[in-house]
Amino acid sequence: MRIYYTDHFALPLPAGHRFPMDKYRRLRQRIVSSDDHKHDALIVPPAATDQQLLLCHSSRYVSAVIRGTLTDAEIRRIGFPWSLQMVERSRRSTGATMAACRAAITDGIAVSLAGGTHHAMSDAGEGYCVFNDAAVAIRSLQLEGLIGRACVIDLDVHQGNGTAQILADDSTTFTLSIHGVKNFPLRKTPSDLDVALEDGTADEPYLQALDESLQCVAENSPFDLAIYIAGADPFADDRLGRLALTKDGLQERDRRVIKWCQDQRLPLAITMGGGYAHRVNDIVDIHVSTVRMASKNRHALQLLL
């Protein structure tokens, strides 16, 4: 299985910043040191080009990010201070999802150890998201003729408002977001299917909602590709999550999504999404479990192609 990583494109964040940037480095180190992934290939992705970003983002916004002319309000909305490293990492994170999607088309399944930047809209970044990697990947692969229709299975705890906005009213895509009803963003942009869960939702009701949601996605098939945003933030000890899933529940979530893609004979690209647990190692544990589940099932998805 091909795994794309970007952790060496680190952001210079001020002391006390809430975003756990170190999770990416620890995640790659755990994967490299694990026998579970000795047959997997870890790859540095190419950066997304201006032309690819412009498939989903306005020329004004792309230029402002690249040239460093974002307003103070725009930078606060993104949540990261502007830097050349922020621009490069944002390009590479988007490129990682694009590369994972291309790999999934031929291999059945692939993973980006970053991505899931689902709050980025056509003309603005938001919530630690600069460019919308899933939307850019779908538009790029469509333009290249590699796919016709795609679905986004967004299981980050926060609603995928940016993806919904960019892909709105588009019959070639289907967006699912299962998220906390009282969580960020305050104003939610309607996805094709939104499932809003109450604070404290635990494993069993979450998984039931997932099964019902995937059935609805299947009813809107066929698709040529699925992008799965496997956020670690529905975890019970997440600082920004407000749901109550256990690590076992999150592992079962991953298993069901991958099994659903197998049943649909659907290539799958996985991105990590958010994670803000009090202990960074808890975030890494959840992401590692997702990648391990993908690698374990790579042969089953390969045989479908």
Side-chain angles (χ1 to χ4, degrees), residues 35-57:
D35 287 342
D36 292 330
H37 301 286
K38 61 184 178 182
H39 298 300
D40 293 331
L42 271 78
I43 305 167
V44 177
T49 66
D50 289 3
Q51 291 75 17
Q52 290 163 337
L53 297 173
L54 289 168
L55 294 173
C56 293
H57 298 287

Side-chain angles (χ1 to χ4, degrees), residues 26 30 247 279-286:
R26 296 191 193 190
R30 287 271 296 276
K247 290 180 182 178
R279 295 176 63 254
V280 176
N281 281 339
D282 284 332
I283 309 172
V284 176
D285 286 346
I286 294 165

Side-chain angles (χ1 to χ4, degrees), residues 13-284:
L13 300 180
H17 197 280
R18 298 184 74 187
F19 191 86
M21 184 59 66
D22 191 46
K23 75 172 187 176
Y24 298 109
R25 178 185 59 83
R26 296 191 193 190
L27 174 58
R28 179 172 61 86
Q29 288 176 341
R30 287 271 296 276
I31 289 171
V32 168
S33 63
S34 172
D35 287 342
D36 292 330
H37 301 286
K38 61 184 178 182
H39 298 300
D40 293 331
L42 271 78
I43 305 167
V44 177
T49 66
D50 289 3
Q51 291 75 17
Q52 290 163 337
L53 297 173
L54 289 168
L55 294 173
C56 293
H57 298 287
S58 70
S59 57
R60 182 213 69 84
Y61 177 64
V62 172
S63 176
V65 171
I66 292 170
R67 297 175 182 272
T69 58
L70 294 164
T71 66
D72 289 345
E74 287 179 310
I75 292 172
R76 285 195 298 272
R77 185 175 177 183
I78 289 171
F80 293 135
W82 185 89
S83 65
L84 290 173
Q85 294 97 319
M86 183 268 267
V87 176
E88 182 66 12
R89 178 173 176 81
S90 300
R91 285 186 184 273
R92 296 280 179 169
S93 180
T94 303
T97 298
M98 294 167 59
C101 288
R102 290 194 185 93
I105 295 297
T106 58
D107 300 351
I109 191 167
V111 173
S112 165
L113 300 186
T117 48
H118 59 167
H119 299 309
M121 301 184 181
S122 57
D123 196 49
E126 184 175 83
Y128 306 139
C129 302
V130 180
F131 300 127
N132 194 301
D133 60 311
V136 172
I138 290 170
R139 289 287 183 254
S140 296
L141 269 66
Q142 287 176 330
L143 184 64
E144 295 167 19
L146 294 176
I147 62 171
R149 301 187 72 235
C151 61
V152 179
I153 301 168
D154 188 343
L155 303 188
D156 188 282
V157 80
H158 304 106
Q159 197 253 356
N161 58 329
T163 311
Q165 183 260 328
I166 293 172
L167 300 179
D169 301 318
D170 180 0
S171 63
T172 70
T173 62
F174 190 92
T175 52
L176 162 66
S177 177
I178 302 180
H179 53 267
V181 64
K182 297 177 182 178
N183 216 318
F184 179 89
L186 179 62
R187 295 182 180 178
K188 297 171 174 60
T189 303
S191 309
D192 291 302
L193 176 60
D194 283 303
V195 179
L197 302 176
E198 295 294 336
D199 288 2
T201 297
D203 292 349
E204 185 174 347
Y206 184 98
L207 293 171
Q208 180 178 347
L210 173 60
D211 289 343
E212 294 170 355
S213 300
L214 291 176
Q215 177 60 37
C216 182
V217 179
E219 291 168 359
N220 286 272
S221 62
F223 301 104
D224 304 306
L225 174 72
I227 298 177
Y228 169 33
I229 303 176
D233 43 12
F235 180 51
D237 197 42
D238 194 274
R239 291 180 290 116
L240 306 180
R242 304 178 71 152
L243 299 188
L245 272 70
T246 65
K247 290 180 182 178
D248 287 344
L250 288 165
Q251 183 179 68
E252 177 61 17
R253 172 200 69 172
D254 296 339
R255 189 196 69 78
R256 294 190 187 195
V257 172
I258 293 171
K259 176 64 164 55
W260 180 83
C261 288
Q262 292 174 359
D263 292 343
Q264 297 292 312
R265 305 182 67 85
L266 190 57
L268 173 62
I270 302 176
T271 67
M272 296 296 99
Y276 314 93
H278 291 89
R279 295 176 63 254
V280 176
N281 281 339
D282 284 332
I283 309 172
V284 176

